[in-house]
């Protein structure tokens, strides 16, 4: 017979960064660190990280730091991924709180969005503008590569990685 394991759930209020009207939690890792975005009038989305010890903290945004951004996922070792709009929307990863744009497939003009990161932070997935349309991508230290599409022409997006 199947076994059911129940664990106690606890709701934590992550709060808001100053001047924000709402916060949205998008991802959580094994130690309970939450990442997401706060909405601020006139600025749009500002990415954040929340921990029990430090509370909510805004993450630095790439470029001039004045454009909307979001944090979508966080690895076991604290690498955060999301998207930012320094020019067009770009996939971003934060390592030690430093944002790094990940580019696009084939370095084409257009956008990319990071959706998830592996537990050790070495694999990032999402969607990117590519020479042949919008394609799911896999990013590693070697760069971004297309995962293709089931239907051509078609759009593909990678939403998760393990």
């Amino acid at each position: 017979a199947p076994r059911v394991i129940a664990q106690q759930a606890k709701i934590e209020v992550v709060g808001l960064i100053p001047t924000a009207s709402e916060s949205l939690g998008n991802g959580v890792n094994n130690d309970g660190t939450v990442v997401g975005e706060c909405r601020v009038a006139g600025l749009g989305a500002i990415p954040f990280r929340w921990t029990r010890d430090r509370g909510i903290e805004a993450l630095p945004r790439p470029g001039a730091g004045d454009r909307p951004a979001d944090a979508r996922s966080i690895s076991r070792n604290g690498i955060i991924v999301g998207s930012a709009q320094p020019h067009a929307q770009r996939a971003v990863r934060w390592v030690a709180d430093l944002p790094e744009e990940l580019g696009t497939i084939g370095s084409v003009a257009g956008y990319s969005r990071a959706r998830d990161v592996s537990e050790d932070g070495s694999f990032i997935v999402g969607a990117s503008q590519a020479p042949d349309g919008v394609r799911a991508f896999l990013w590693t230290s070697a760069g971004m590569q297309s995962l293709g599409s089931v239907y051509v022409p078609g759009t593909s997006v990678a939403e998760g990685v393990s």
Side-chain angles (χ1 to χ4, degrees):
R3 294 179 16 183
V4 176
I5 300 172
Q7 295 180 334
Q8 234 178 7
K10 182 177 180 184
I11 296 174
E12 295 274 354
V13 176
V14 300
L16 300 168
I17 61 173
T19 72
S21 60
E22 66 181 11
S23 59
L24 306 167
N26 293 325
V28 62
N29 72 1
N30 61 304
D31 69 6
T33 300
V34 176
V35 295
E37 60 195 88
C38 283
R39 301 289 177 165
V40 176
L43 296 176
I46 296 178
F48 74 80
R49 174 187 48 239
W50 176 90
T51 64
R52 274 192 191 88
D53 295 339
R54 298 180 66 163
I56 193 167
E57 300 174 297
L59 293 169
R61 293 173 284 168
D66 61 351
R67 302 298 303 239
D70 63 41
R72 302 291 304 179
S73 185
I74 181 169
S75 69
R76 180 180 289 272
N77 57 357
I79 294 172
I80 299 168
V81 299
S83 303
Q85 295 180 359
H87 306 290
Q89 189 173 43
R90 291 283 192 263
V92 174
R93 73 176 182 151
W94 285 266
V95 179
D97 288 348
L98 297 174
E100 173 191 1
E101 289 183 52
L102 304 181
T104 59
I105 296 170
S107 299
V108 299
Y111 73 91
S112 61
R113 288 185 219 124
R115 307 301 286 173
D116 199 13
V117 60
S118 62
E119 278 195 22
D120 67 0
S122 61
F123 299 100
I124 297 170
V125 296
S128 171
Q129 195 75 41
D132 59 345
V134 176
R135 298 289 178 254
F137 74 75
L138 171 66
W139 183 94
T140 66
S141 60
M144 187 180 290
Q145 64 184 24
S146 174
L147 296 176
S149 178
V150 175
Y151 301 104
V152 177
T155 296
S156 61
V157 178
E159 294 283 349
V161 64
S162 62

